[in-house]
Amino acid sequence: GLDFSRTAIKKNKKIFKSKFFYKDICSNKFSLKGKFDYIYCRFFLHTITSVDEKKFFKNLKKIIKKKTIIFLEFRTNLDPYLKKGKRISENESIYGHYRRFIDEKQLKDKIKLYNFKIKHISSSFNYANYRMERPHICRIIFSY
């Protein structure tokens, strides 16, 4: 597992006794030995800027194999939280913390531009309900 939170890494190492690394996959200096069969990014993409998103996709290619399957789950621009808090731009706001609400079609086009092949895409208000919260979530599965 990769995470930019040292606290999350420490907790996961204790619980799972597996390999967890403190890494910033959006860094220009990102490096990691090894390639992965599966990459799962839940509620990550909407926490980074569009500039960091470009770095993420570039660095993703460094850690994948030919048939690696990548799973993304993120908030979309149809999410009700976009209208809450302090609006930074058309698709960014701070409500508790920074969020970038992603246009599903635009991301789909970007994924194709990076030469990935989309296997599945769907979105719903029913994917990540928590208490009274009903975010609009998109799930994309793709490979290289």
Side-chain angles (χ1 to χ4, degrees):
L2 300 179
D3 207 309
F4 194 60
S5 165
R6 291 189 193 279
T7 304
I9 294 298
K10 192 180 245 184
K11 284 181 181 179
N12 284 322
K13 280 183 174 183
K14 281 182 184 176
I15 295 169
F16 299 106
K17 309 286 187 236
S18 297
K19 293 180 181 179
F20 287 88
F21 305 96
Y22 171 78
K23 293 283 183 177
D24 180 1
I25 195 165
C26 298
S27 167
N28 287 327
K29 297 176 182 179
F30 176 80
S31 68
L32 184 68
K33 288 187 178 185
K35 305 272 184 182
F36 298 89
D37 295 313
Y38 302 96
I39 296 175
Y40 177 67
C41 302
R42 183 172 194 257
F43 288 3
F44 166 73
L45 205 59
H46 65 252
T47 67
I48 61 174
T49 66
S50 55
V51 171
D52 282 343
E53 179 186 278
K54 289 176 187 172
K55 294 175 195 173
F56 166 73
F57 278 107
K58 178 183 164 202
N59 289 331
L60 193 59
K61 288 190 173 185
K62 294 178 183 178
I63 60 171
I64 61 174
K65 300 175 183 178
K66 189 80 171 159
K67 303 244 179 182
T68 297
I69 298 174
I70 300 118
F71 303 83
L72 298 181
E73 185 175 70
F74 53 88
R75 289 181 184 258
T76 76
N77 58 341
L78 299 177
D79 191 291
Y81 270 32
L82 176 58
K83 296 180 178 137
K84 294 186 176 189
K86 181 183 176 192
R87 200 77 178 259
I88 299 171
S89 73
E90 182 182 344
N91 66 342
E92 297 170 292
S93 70
I94 296 176
Y95 183 65
H97 61 274
Y98 172 85
R99 290 185 179 100
R100 181 172 56 97
F101 299 86
I102 298 166
D103 182 295
E104 183 180 324
K105 184 189 176 323
Q106 287 177 359
L107 184 64
K108 184 179 171 181
D109 293 342
K110 287 179 195 176
I111 288 170
K112 288 178 180 176
L113 283 174
Y114 289 112
N115 296 316
F116 290 108
K117 294 173 183 69
I118 295 176
K119 296 179 173 288
H120 172 82
I121 186 167
S122 62
S123 57
S124 175
F125 284 101
N126 295 316
Y127 285 159
N129 297 343
Y130 178 71
R131 296 183 182 159
M132 299 302 290
E133 193 178 330
R134 291 177 50 91
H136 192 263
I137 302 297
C138 179
R139 292 177 175 165
I140 299 179
I141 302 170
F142 58 98
S143 64
Y144 191 54

